[in-house]
Amino acid sequence: MATRDSVGSWLEGGPGGDGARGGRLGLPEEGSGSLARLGRRLAALGVDWVACLAVSAVLVPVRDDGLFLFRGHELATLAVFAVENLVLVATLGHTLGHRLLGLRVRRLAQTSLRAAPAPVDGPPGIVPAAIRTVLVCLVIPAVVWDGDGRGLHDRAAGTVLVRR
């Protein structure tokens, strides 16, 4: 009879993993090139969101009172966030928040069906960035992680967020 260990789960990373964060992806456990930790990822998201709030407040103000950052339209803020993510991740491999917190988005290349995907240098490109951006804007895929701590949005786009 099959057991849970023989079947595994993508949430646990599957059987036979060495347990090191990013080990199955060919990434170091610590230092440059290692998977970004949750704290840095949240801080980078906060920086990006505040910048998008400011741009939205300047370009699409809907209120005259209250705190400046909250004067913009909510959907305009999300649109600015999506455009920022799409353009910057596709061309540079990082957003403003990623850059300030020492993170970058790398594409993973599958060399064969049996081998683990390997990180590729350079920005991910437009298609992976678009997939990643849509799923980040939906929120839920970005808060579901696998055994390595990679979000569902990164898994679907074939990318990984690493330290610089």
Side-chain angles (χ1 to χ4, degrees):
M1 175 181 338
T3 65
R4 176 96 172 133
D5 291 335
S6 63
V7 176
S9 168
W10 73 271
L11 289 173
E12 297 168 357
D18 60 1
R21 281 178 45 91
R24 289 178 293 273
L25 303 173
L27 301 173
E29 192 172 349
E30 294 293 328
S32 179
S34 65
L35 279 172
R37 300 276 185 187
L38 181 61
R40 279 188 188 214
R41 290 168 36 189
L42 288 176
L45 177 66
V47 168
D48 288 334
W49 194 253
V50 168
C52 293
L53 281 170
V55 170
S56 174
V58 169
L59 297 180
V60 191
V62 292
R63 293 178 204 75
D64 291 333
D65 60 340
L67 188 63
F68 171 75
L69 288 178
F70 299 123
R71 293 182 183 179
H73 193 276
E74 297 86 7
L75 288 178
T77 303
L78 184 62
V80 170
F81 180 78
V83 169
E84 177 211 16
N85 268 274
L86 177 64
V87 171
L88 294 179
V89 169
T91 59
L92 302 175
H94 57 77
T95 65
L96 174 65
H98 292 157
R99 180 69 180 172
L100 291 175
L101 285 142
L103 304 175
R104 66 181 166 153
V105 179
R106 293 180 70 186
R107 185 171 46 95
L108 293 174
Q110 188 74 37
T111 55
S112 72
L113 292 176
R114 293 186 177 212
V120 177
D121 285 333
I126 192 73
V127 173
I131 293 168
R132 188 177 192 281
T133 297
V134 167
L135 293 176
V136 165
C137 289
L138 291 175
V139 178
I140 298 300
V143 297
V144 177
W145 302 296
D146 64 5
D148 283 317
R150 232 172 94 195
L152 188 57
H153 64 297
D154 276 328
R155 288 184 61 94
T159 58
V160 62
L161 187 61
V162 297
R163 294 176 56 190
R164 278 193 173 277

